[in-house]
Amino acid sequence: MDHLRPPALSIHGLHKAFGEKVSVNQVDLEVPQGSFFGLVGPNGAGKTTLLSMAVGLLRPDAGASAVLDADVWTDPLRAKTYLGVLPDGLAMPEFLTGREALTFLGRLRGLEAEVVDTRAQELLEVMDLLGAERTLIVDYSTGMRKKIGLATALLHNPKVLVLDEPFEAVDPVSALTLKRILTRFVVQGGSVVLSSHVMALVEQLCDTVAVMSDGVVVASGPVAQVRGETSLEETFVSLVGAGTGTVDGLSWLGT
Amino acid sequence: MVGDLIRLKLALTRNAVTGTRAVWAWTGAIVGAVLAAGVVALAAWPLQPASIVPDLLAAAYLTWLIGWVIGPVMSPAPPLRPAHLAMLPLTRSRMAAGMLVAGFVGLTTAVTVLLFSSLIVYGARLGVVPALLAVPLAVLQVCLLVLLSRVAHVGFGRLARARSGAALNGVVLAIVLVLSQSGWMLLVGLLSSGVLEQGFPENFSAALRWAPSGWALAAVEAAAAGAWGRTALIVMAMLVLAAILLALWGTSLGEARGARVVVRGSSRRPTPRSALLRGPLGAIVGKELRSWWRDPARAAALSAPLAWGVLTAVLPLTFGAVELLPWAGALIAVMAATWMANMYSFDGTGLWLTLQTGTARHDVRARQWAYLIIYGPIALLVTIGFTAWSGLSWAWPWALAAVTAALGGGAGLTAYTSVFMPAPGPDAQRRAENPAEGNEEIGAAFLVFFAALLPPLAGIAVVYLGATQDSLALQWAGVGISVLIGALLSWGLGLAAAIKLERTATEMLLLMRTGRSIAESDPDQPTLTWRESTVETICWTLGILALIPQGLLTIVFKLTGNHDVQVWFLAMYLPEPWGWLTSIVMVLLGGYLIWSASQVRKRTAAQSEKAAVPLDG
């Protein structure tokens, strides 16, 4: 790998506490350019908080993050031109249709009108949203919301994609399309960071992985290296602990 | 189960009602308790004629009923929602009963119980049996009120799913507001009609008892009169109504979550090619206008100010007074500002897109434009139409001076408070059950209502001056001044809001996301102590008063030769040269006070900067 190229996303000492609870604890992470990076961790591990801080949607208590050569907090405009973001559970322009939302965002980003129209049409086609042409986003299903979110993240042809739980509630057919789009994006030199708790998916798609638990990164590196001889799922469970509950406790279940 | 539901409700309330919300809740409870205690005292008061006491009690009960029906529509959904229990294997009636009992646990019910203890007090005046009967009846009456409130909440929620219904909700709210604020008109009419000497007219007393809030009182009175058949009939009616309401409410609990009436968007419209509309500003204005057209919550925000302004102006027509008509447009503008004091809550967490595209400044400006595009024509047209209708030709400059400054000031104020005092509401996609669902945070709205009354004052003062001078030119100059003030306010306050949003959009997003008060406040804004903020407020208020009306305005009066305008302008009362000296001293004093106010914040900022920990750590 070319070490002169800046990493796609570099995170240094990002820290966030909400009151007493430390959500993300001094995390360092580097996503090399051209990598397909998976961030995995149990619920409440701090993935969303970390990604929000990394892309500039949440102000960290301490630490810094940069996209390519642009610092997210001191040079936000350039950083956000490089970035395509799909946050989890945030509102869209709810009372617009999918196409209107794409057009709206294209104009916000200062794209040419012709470019916006062409890309919006293609994105709607690829995301299989043309059938719901006149449906407002507020009436979209969860899966459709993910797809229109991803479409808006791709619209301005970013260099780095940061996706929080992109496959949640997406049907298998659409998921296959999304996977193809993302893989092609990486092959063409883009970088993808996605969070998920579906291990099989991360194992299948990603070349690099970081495991987060309780606000810290407990392991990171190439997928093959992190999982070793076993599956990623087993490694994950051994890293974050299986929890205190054992199945033995539920002896009454199904009797 | 009921005990568990009560505990659940208390826990939910404890977690949700914090900070300002808690302060408002307690303030409301205390005010309500004082009023209720007043009613209890009234029940014991030996007023003459004797019939006036029960009539006033019945009127108070009716007021409370209206409060119970309207209150929940304006506030957030009750913390304990049926959706929480949807998967439990409970029969509807059991769930309804459980939820109802849990619904009783709260400050509002406590206040209402206090209110209806007045019935027992009054019963005691009528005899032992009515007093004893009053105890269970008071309880039953409180149950009825709570049930009516619940059913009304579901009903209004259903309505609000369609835009027309939401607009209707807005109108209903406006009517209630008009009735409560213009109640004094009725009171004046009441006093002059000699009601306090002769008692209420018979029909009115009867009507008060026909309302569901007066049934318990009517039953107690019937018992006192020995009409046992009537007593039994009324009690039966109360029980039947309660059963019907409980059944209605129980049915609504079991129903699947409803969705809003689907609004269709446009299809395949290309991006505008004209340079004027292409940029971010045009894009956001377009999005805002579409949202205005499609969002039921915004339909209510449009209908309520319109209905309020029109009704407030029209109500005095019942006495044949047309003097309020020309002001209808200005009233609409003031109420529109009040309604939009928290305009970012309509989009909630959608703010992240503004952050990601770095368009905070455009966003504030575009929302201001959309505000003016939506409310401007309505307020202006109503002003023109109603002034013409009133036939008061002298009122033209007055009305126009008022409406223009109120509109411009509103565009500035709403942007300012929306950014400086944001309060999260439910995101649009979570408003499906009741799209009109808002939040309890009415502090900003309250402030904006009074603040929005101020911008027209200067222009109106000049119009007044022109009227006293018989100078039409001066009167129209007042309109010009209003337009100028409106423009300056929307530009200046909008700029302040834009700068603030650009700096603190992340904090605002966090607030919208978590729904709680910002734990981490604006990084650049120091936290002021109570004393410092008091000093700051006093300096600002007195400074503006001294600088503008007492200083600059008096200089304008003197320069234009209007020496006879005195009103409350100190400098105009004093002989020269003291008058001039006073004007100048006022300007200087005002300037100094405003400067001092700005220094309070600066000083604290400098201190906290020294203590701050660097971000890179």
Side-chain angles (χ1 to χ4, degrees):
Chain A
M1 193 187 293
D2 185 1
H3 287 280
L4 291 174
R5 291 200 303 174
L9 182 69
S10 57
I11 290 170
H12 290 295
L14 276 186
H15 188 87
K16 186 77 192 174
F18 294 100
E20 299 276 290
K21 164 128 179 60
V22 176
S23 185
V24 170
N25 195 353
Q26 311 277 356
V27 168
D28 293 293
L29 213 58
E30 238 173 52
V31 178
Q33 271 189 53
S35 70
F36 204 133
F37 194 98
L39 181 62
V40 297
N43 297 328
K47 301 186 296 285
T48 297
T49 309
L50 178 66
L51 291 183
S52 296
M53 288 194 288
V55 301
L57 289 178
L58 177 67
R59 200 182 296 278
D61 295 341
S65 85
V67 183
L68 300 171
D69 58 344
D71 186 283
V72 169
W73 294 98
T74 57
D75 189 6
L77 281 189
R78 214 150 52 89
K80 285 164 185 176
T81 316
Y82 294 149
L83 268 176
V85 179
L86 171 71
D88 188 26
L90 296 190
M92 295 292 292
E94 298 287 336
F95 290 91
L96 298 185
T97 64
R99 185 187 298 275
E100 285 166 353
L102 289 172
T103 312
F104 169 63
L105 277 155
R107 290 162 76 190
L108 283 195
R109 293 197 180 267
L111 301 181
E112 289 296 320
E114 293 78 12
V115 176
V116 174
D117 287 347
T118 326
R119 287 189 189 169
Q121 176 65 25
E122 279 185 54
L123 282 167
L124 290 174
E125 250 171 57
V126 169
M127 299 292 172
D128 195 22
L129 289 172
L130 279 179
E133 179 78 275
R134 295 189 61 207
T135 307
L136 303 184
I137 295 179
V138 71
D139 296 317
Y140 272 18
S141 67
T142 317
M144 286 163 82
R145 297 184 77 86
K146 284 284 175 198
K147 289 199 277 183
I148 193 67
L150 192 63
T152 57
L154 295 172
L155 180 71
H156 57 292
N157 192 18
K159 294 190 161 52
V160 182
L161 276 174
V162 178
L163 315 171
D164 198 355
E165 301 283 358
F167 292 99
E168 211 174 39
V170 174
D171 65 274
V173 179
S174 301
L176 200 64
T177 320
L178 295 193
K179 284 180 204 165
R180 285 202 194 117
I181 297 170
L182 295 180
T183 316
R184 201 175 68 185
F185 178 75
V186 172
V187 168
Q188 287 171 346
S191 318
V192 175
V193 182
L194 65 80
S195 77
S196 179
H197 36 233
V198 183
M199 293 305 140
L201 183 114
V202 172
E203 207 165 6
Q204 176 198 353
L205 280 178
C206 301
D207 48 50
T208 324
V209 67
V211 183
M212 228 183 145
S213 174
D214 270 335
V216 290
V217 171
V218 289
S220 72
V223 173
Q225 191 188 317
V226 170
R227 81 175 155 206
E229 297 297 306
T230 58
S231 74
L232 191 58
E233 187 157 18
E234 281 171 45
T235 316
F236 175 78
V237 171
S238 72
L239 277 170
V240 305
T244 46
T246 57
V247 187
D248 303 341
L250 302 181
S251 55
W252 45 267
L253 190 62
T255 56
Chain B
M1 183 195 74
V2 169
D4 293 329
L5 282 182
I6 292 174
R7 271 193 295 281
L8 178 61
K9 177 183 171 169
L10 286 178
L12 287 168
T13 314
R14 206 166 39 238
N15 291 336
V17 184
T18 54
T20 352
R21 275 185 69 179
V23 172
W24 277 105
W26 280 102
T27 314
I30 290 167
V31 171
V34 169
L35 289 176
V39 175
V40 176
L42 175 77
W45 209 267
L47 277 176
Q48 282 306 321
S51 75
I52 193 94
V53 172
D55 284 351
L56 286 175
L57 285 182
Y61 298 163
L62 182 62
T63 318
W64 240 265
L65 169 68
I66 294 174
W68 267 97
V69 170
I70 297 299
V73 181
M74 290 196 78
S75 56
L80 185 62
R81 296 178 182 218
H84 292 151
L85 313 173
M87 292 311 290
L88 294 181
L90 293 172
T91 59
R92 272 183 202 174
S93 54
R94 220 174 138 214
M95 184 152 98
M99 296 273 299
L100 184 69
V101 176
F104 275 102
V105 182
L107 291 173
T108 34
T109 325
V111 170
T112 309
V113 167
L114 175 63
L115 174 83
F116 279 102
S117 64
S118 63
L119 185 67
I120 304 168
V121 173
Y122 179 67
R125 282 173 65 177
L126 299 178
V128 178
V129 179
L132 288 177
L133 189 67
V135 178
L137 281 179
V139 174
L140 188 55
Q141 187 73 70
V142 174
C143 292
L144 265 184
L145 246 57
V146 175
L147 272 169
L148 275 167
S149 158
R150 286 299 126 100
V151 172
H153 186 253
V154 173
F156 278 118
R158 291 276 159 80
L159 272 182
R161 284 177 200 165
R163 283 171 296 173
S164 52
L168 191 68
N169 272 357
V171 173
V172 171
L173 287 180
I175 291 174
V176 172
L177 276 177
V178 170
L179 286 181
S180 49
Q181 108 230 321
S182 302
W184 61 269
M185 285 189 188
L186 300 175
L187 202 68
V188 169
L190 217 65
L191 290 176
S192 59
S193 67
V195 158
L196 289 184
E197 291 82 45
Q198 298 138 29
F200 284 91
E202 208 131 295
N203 306 344
F204 187 71
S205 306
L208 283 176
R209 283 162 182 76
W210 275 105
S213 54
W215 292 4
L217 178 70
V220 170
E221 283 176 330
W228 297 108
R230 194 143 60 94
T231 310
L233 205 67
I234 297 173
V235 173
M236 282 295 288
M238 287 177 84
L239 289 171
V240 169
L241 180 65
I244 292 173
L245 289 172
L246 189 63
L248 273 178
W249 189 54
T251 319
S252 80
L253 289 183
E255 279 172 15
R257 259 179 56 135
R260 72 175 49 65
V261 173
V262 174
V263 179
R264 288 297 182 177
S266 65
S267 72
R268 309 214 59 166
R269 191 178 303 167
T271 311
R273 264 33 178 195
S274 85
L276 184 69
L277 294 170
R278 210 169 44 210
L281 190 75
I284 304 169
V285 170
K287 180 212 71 171
E288 280 292 297
L289 293 181
R290 280 185 169 142
S291 305
W292 273 105
W293 176 242
R294 296 171 182 171
D295 184 351
R298 297 207 195 204
L302 195 56
S303 69
L306 181 63
W308 183 80
V310 168
L311 287 175
T312 305
V314 164
L315 198 65
L317 280 184
T318 49
F319 311 106
V322 293
E323 277 74 15
L324 267 186
L325 289 180
W327 306 95
L331 289 171
I332 291 173
V334 168
M335 192 45 90
T338 310
W339 224 267
M340 294 304 289
N342 187 18
M343 57 169 135
Y344 272 95
S345 74
F346 284 114
D347 300 86
T349 54
L351 190 64
W352 76 276
L353 288 165
T354 310
L355 254 171
Q356 275 306 303
T357 49
T359 48
R361 283 184 184 233
H362 293 115
D363 201 74
V364 170
R365 288 303 188 199
R367 278 167 196 271
Q368 287 189 293
W369 278 116
Y371 177 90
L372 287 175
I373 292 171
I374 292 287
Y375 290 111
I378 296 175
L380 286 175
L381 282 177
V382 168
T383 302
I384 293 168
F386 275 43
T387 309
W389 177 25
S390 74
L392 304 170
S393 54
W394 56 265
W396 284 104
W398 293 83
L400 288 173
V403 73
T404 47
L407 275 173
L413 282 167
T414 50
Y416 188 85
T417 49
S418 297
V419 173
F420 279 81
M421 306 172 72
D427 266 0
Q429 82 263 29
R430 298 186 216 288
R431 266 189 266 141
E433 254 176 293
N434 181 355
E437 199 171 280
N439 55 57
E440 238 168 26
E441 203 70 60
I442 54 164
F446 205 65
L447 196 79
V448 166
F449 178 77
F450 291 105
L453 295 171
L454 300 179
L457 290 187
I460 286 181
V462 176
V463 176
Y464 168 74
L465 206 67
T468 56
Q469 304 285 303
D470 261 342
S471 156
L472 211 56
L474 196 55
Q475 290 192 38
W476 285 100
V479 179
I481 288 177
S482 267
V483 172
L484 194 69
I485 287 178
L488 275 176
L489 281 176
S490 49
W491 175 79
L493 291 173
L495 182 67
I499 292 173
K500 165 91 172 177
L501 183 65
E502 202 163 48
R503 225 176 39 216
T504 61
T506 33
E507 280 69 28
M508 207 161 128
L509 177 62
L510 179 67
L511 174 71
M512 297 291 182
R513 224 172 174 172
T514 57
R516 303 221 190 148
S517 307
I518 305 177
E520 308 78 339
S521 55
D522 183 346
D524 300 348
Q525 289 293 317
T527 359
L528 298 183
T529 63
W530 180 84
R531 221 189 103 190
E532 281 166 337
S533 52
T534 313
V535 169
E536 196 194 17
T537 315
I538 292 174
C539 281
W540 272 118
T541 319
L542 292 183
I544 289 170
L545 286 180
L547 178 67
I548 297 170
Q550 296 291 346
L552 293 176
L553 216 57
T554 54
I555 291 177
V556 171
F557 290 153
K558 285 174 193 295
L559 288 177
T560 52
N562 293 291
H563 299 289
D564 52 340
V565 184
Q566 293 185 317
V567 200
W568 67 295
F569 303 110
L570 184 61
M572 305 307 286
Y573 280 98
L574 297 173
E576 300 304 345
W578 301 109
W580 268 105
L581 203 62
T582 311
S583 297
I584 292 164
V585 168
M586 283 293 182
V587 170
L588 292 176
L589 179 70
Y592 172 74
L593 285 174
I594 290 172
W595 177 79
S596 310
S598 68
Q599 288 306 300
V600 172
R601 209 161 268 270
K602 222 171 183 177
R603 236 183 353 253
T604 327
Q607 280 164 6
S608 63
E609 206 155 283
K610 277 181 218 149
V613 187
L615 203 66
D616 273 19

